[in-house]
Amino acid sequence: MHDLLITGGTVVDGTGAPRRTADVAVSGGRITDVGRVDGPAKRTVKADGLLVTPGWVDIHTHYDGQASWDPLMTPSSWHGVTTAVMGNCGVGFAPARREQRQWMLELMEGVEDIPGAVLAEGVKWEWETFPEYLQAMARIPRAIDLAAQIPHAAVRVYVMGERGANREPATPDDMRQMAAIVKEAILAGAIGFSTSRTFVHKTSKGQQAPTFDVAAEELITIARAVGETGRGVLQMISDFEDIDAEFEIMRQCAKVSGRPLSFTLLQRDHQPTKWRELLDRVEIARAEGLDIKVQVACRPIGMVHGLECSMHPFFLTPGYQGIAGLPLAERVRRMQDPALRARIIAESRTPPENWRLASITRDFHKYYPLARDHADYEPHPDTSVAALARRTGRSPEDVVYDLLLEDEGTKKFYFPLYNYTGGDLEVVRQMMTHPASLMGLGDAGAHLGYICDASYPTYLITHWARDRTRGPKIPLEQLVHMQTMRNARGVGITDRGALLPGQKADINLIDFEKLSVSAPKMVYDLPAGGRRLVQTAEGYEATLAGGEPIESSGGRVGVLPGKMVN
């Protein structure tokens, strides 16, 4: 007798094969048959008219903090995710000596915009070593499975102390100790090692991340240790200011380890073709036998701005800073005062010295007002604040100031930081459909005050297979494959991601016509009353993890079958 039988659904199995009408049988948390299935079942679910897909595999979530306090792992579980990978970009919470904990909170607060008060209350610190961290995470009941990478910043500071935090060169002995710790972590169940080499990653006190400019020898030594385990992956992020030197480090790490390596790929406005140069180099490396891939997003890598959020065009002005700590309703009332309005707008016309902040606060051609009930992530340039200002004969500052006060101050804007130089998603489409790409970069547990990209999986299939009007669509079968089997295999997880006999029964039942993503909304449900942007989804009739329902159209079922993946 089957434990579960799903009958009559349209199966998109995650392999990229054409969709078909089929039954799916489950026993012992595993898929036992797909096709025309006979025989009794303890539970039968009729899926006529529904898509039946594998659960989504999100390989870039930064859930390191939230994993300590949220058994439901929302918003990801709302969006059909059944496996999430954390420990990305070289930051995380293990290994950690007691005296290093505050510094690690400051690093995560600065790099990932998770308030320090939230982390201080939510992270339980029941570990020192990385194996102990994995054990602590395994003890927490949760809805979905989690996999962890060991982060370079934590390892470096654990070994070198202040020398490591201050980015002093590692000695040969330091490198040997780091390599041994990473090797131990991989053998204990970490699925890989991650590092960051980007300028934007800093602590909340402005200190550069300790891994920013470490010597190639340090990374190569660690990569070699990962290779000695015969398992594990490498994940990196870099600005590629020196494209030759940075890519050569990655080539060497992939070569000495013999393990898969992936890095973040995006398009910057001031270097609009560099992403293509990097993909060309990836193709050459792969032809040489190196398993190098890129992690890409399915829409612009962007920010949500507004008075409830961490940023908006006036957030740095002295006039606004004087009221920034007031409750939202009071801020709105004060901002309606003509004198304060004139002051804030005048101050905003002097751009910050930092060019990144200047772009975020002054590039009104990239400021797109969001509707109350949905978010358009491929907006036409004619809908920007700059375009609206031209049509109405007003200044962009005047227009955006008035818009900020709409909806009692809850009005929000989308600011595509990367991947939108051309004003559409053609570059993103080319990145996504490259055979060496992995779907990632959603950062579901991070940047809580200005992004909300946990909805990537839902947006991927709704926009690209069904709703897109400004360019070619992508077949649904290919999109499902991208965020299930291809992602899972890309990070070395082989027991899920496809509706095939023997695979873990992580399954989504989807009403594709109804599937949709809400507009971003600010909620205050984190430890210490912390805030975060969330988006909900409609159309997931059920999400099963190991054959157990964790979400249904009637609300959360209450089963917590999630485990640590190793």
Side-chain angles (χ1 to χ4, degrees):
M1 178 177 287
H2 309 296
D3 289 342
L4 170 67
L5 185 59
I6 301 169
T7 63
T10 300
V11 171
V12 184
D13 68 9
T15 67
R19 69 191 79 180
R20 67 193 192 279
T21 300
D23 307 328
V24 178
V26 175
S27 287
R30 298 279 166 178
I31 295 169
T32 53
D33 201 358
V34 180
R36 175 61 179 171
V37 180
D38 296 316
K42 297 176 184 176
R43 184 160 48 101
T44 299
V45 175
K46 293 183 178 180
D48 303 67
L50 301 179
L51 293 180
V52 183
T53 75
W56 311 139
V57 179
D58 189 337
I59 64 173
H60 200 115
T61 70
H62 290 288
Y63 269 142
D64 309 77
Q66 192 171 332
S68 291
W69 68 73
D70 179 13
L72 302 185
M73 306 309 299
T74 62
S76 290
S77 60
W78 298 341
H79 291 276
V81 173
T82 52
T83 302
V85 178
M86 58 186 181
N88 314 96
C89 298
V91 293
F93 294 120
R97 303 184 196 279
R98 180 177 296 274
E99 64 271 18
Q100 296 166 348
R101 293 174 180 174
Q102 181 58 37
W103 178 87
M104 297 185 76
L105 295 180
E106 292 170 0
L107 179 63
M108 188 65 80
E109 180 178 20
V111 171
E112 303 301 339
D113 187 39
I114 306 172
V118 170
L119 294 172
E121 181 172 314
V123 178
K124 303 308 179 186
W125 298 112
E126 298 173 353
W127 60 83
E128 177 175 319
T129 69
F130 201 84
E132 290 169 348
Y133 173 73
L134 293 177
Q135 292 166 9
M137 292 298 102
R139 289 192 294 269
I140 300 173
R142 65 185 82 254
I144 66 175
D145 285 356
L146 286 180
Q149 298 169 115
I150 181 168
H152 189 186
V155 173
R156 193 170 210 267
V157 173
Y158 187 81
V159 169
M160 297 175 62
E162 289 190 11
R163 290 187 299 116
N166 294 334
R167 297 178 14 240
E168 294 182 23
T171 67
D173 185 58
D174 292 332
M175 295 181 206
R176 283 191 292 270
Q177 289 186 58
M178 284 188 266
I181 288 170
V182 171
K183 185 175 183 178
E184 175 190 48
I186 299 291
L187 293 174
I191 68 160
F193 164 82
S194 70
T195 193
S196 168
R197 297 175 66 79
T198 176
F199 177 80
V200 300
H201 284 174
K202 299 179 180 180
T203 72
S204 58
K205 293 183 176 179
Q207 183 183 20
Q208 202 74 53
T211 61
F212 170 57
D213 53 1
V214 301
E217 184 182 0
E218 181 174 328
L219 285 169
I220 292 169
T221 300
I222 294 171
R224 184 177 290 110
V226 174
E228 290 170 359
T229 70
R231 53 182 293 181
V233 298
L234 307 171
Q235 183 257 316
M236 300 186 178
I237 180 171
S238 170
D239 295 326
F240 291 103
E241 292 301 328
D242 184 338
I243 191 171
D244 293 325
E246 288 296 293
F247 195 81
E248 182 58 24
I249 289 174
M250 294 185 181
R251 284 188 74 262
Q252 289 300 318
C253 286
K255 184 175 181 179
V256 301
S257 69
R259 303 305 305 161
L261 179 150
S262 65
F263 66 89
T264 297
L265 183 71
L266 47 82
Q267 179 196 45
R268 292 179 168 88
D269 288 351
H270 69 289
Q271 298 171 322
T273 62
K274 182 171 276 190
W275 70 272
R276 184 66 254 183
E277 294 178 52
L278 285 164
L279 267 185
D280 290 343
R281 291 169 188 247
V282 168
E283 291 168 0
I284 292 170
R286 292 179 66 81
E288 295 171 351
L290 300 178
D291 189 354
I292 298 179
K293 296 185 176 74
V294 294
Q295 289 193 28
V296 303
C298 64
R299 63 193 191 210
I301 296 175
M303 312 166 89
V304 178
H305 285 194
L307 294 181
E308 292 184 293
C309 304
S310 296
M311 298 180 188
H312 55 78
F314 309 110
F315 83 109
L316 292 174
T317 64
Y320 180 79
Q321 283 294 309
I323 63 170
L326 297 176
L328 178 62
E330 179 63 14
R331 267 182 288 149
V332 171
R333 189 186 72 79
R334 297 282 293 274
M335 289 177 72
Q336 290 169 337
D337 176 72
L340 183 58
R341 172 197 172 99
R343 177 189 172 187
I344 289 174
I345 289 177
E347 290 170 345
S348 75
R349 292 192 168 114
T350 301
E353 294 183 4
N354 182 298
W355 69 267
R356 289 182 174 87
L357 290 175
S359 171
I360 288 169
T361 56
R362 301 293 304 164
D363 285 355
F364 294 110
H365 67 288
K366 296 174 67 175
Y367 259 89
Y368 295 95
L370 290 174
R372 295 179 185 179
D373 59 348
H374 72 282
D376 182 0
Y377 293 104
E378 193 173 11
H380 196 282
D382 286 349
T383 65
S384 70
V385 166
L388 180 58
R390 286 194 301 269
R391 288 196 299 272
T392 58
R394 304 170 65 201
S395 74
E397 294 87 353
D398 283 331
V399 170
V400 78
Y401 194 101
D402 287 344
L403 287 171
L404 274 170
L405 301 182
E406 288 187 359
D407 300 330
E408 300 179 321
T410 64
K411 181 72 173 180
K412 296 179 177 62
F413 301 80
Y414 188 59
F415 184 85
L417 194 61
Y418 304 119
N419 293 357
Y420 214 64
T421 305
D424 61 30
L425 291 180
E426 176 55 25
V427 162
V428 172
R429 187 187 68 82
Q430 292 181 40
M431 291 180 183
M432 287 166 48
T433 56
H434 192 279
S437 70
L438 300 171
M439 297 307 307
L441 312 184
D443 286 6
H447 308 297
L448 306 179
Y450 60 83
I451 74 167
C452 188
D453 291 338
S455 62
Y456 268 7
T458 305
Y459 181 82
L460 177 72
I461 62 173
T462 53
H463 182 75
W464 288 101
R466 190 190 67 193
D467 298 338
R468 190 174 193 229
T469 60
R470 299 188 60 207
K473 294 183 174 70
I474 300 173
L476 178 64
E477 292 87 346
Q478 184 178 354
L479 295 167
V480 171
H481 172 67
M482 286 176 182
Q483 64 180 357
T484 56
M485 186 176 185
R486 189 160 84 177
N487 262 10
R489 303 302 182 269
V491 295
I493 302 174
T494 60
D495 69 340
R496 67 199 66 199
L499 300 181
L500 298 173
Q503 291 279 286
K504 189 170 184 285
D506 293 344
I507 302 170
N508 281 318
L509 303 181
I510 302 170
D511 185 332
F512 191 51
E513 294 305 311
K514 293 182 180 179
L515 191 64
S516 63
V517 179
S518 73
K521 176 183 178 182
M522 190 67 76
V523 298
Y524 296 81
D525 63 351
L526 296 180
R531 67 180 179 176
R532 60 173 178 157
L533 284 163
V534 299
Q535 286 175 289
T536 57
E538 291 188 9
Y540 288 98
E541 292 299 306
T543 295
L544 313 177
E548 297 291 338
I550 60 168
E551 292 279 341
S552 73
S553 58
R556 179 178 158 259
V557 173
V559 179
L560 299 175
K563 302 182 185 306
M564 292 299 297
V565 180
N566 52 43

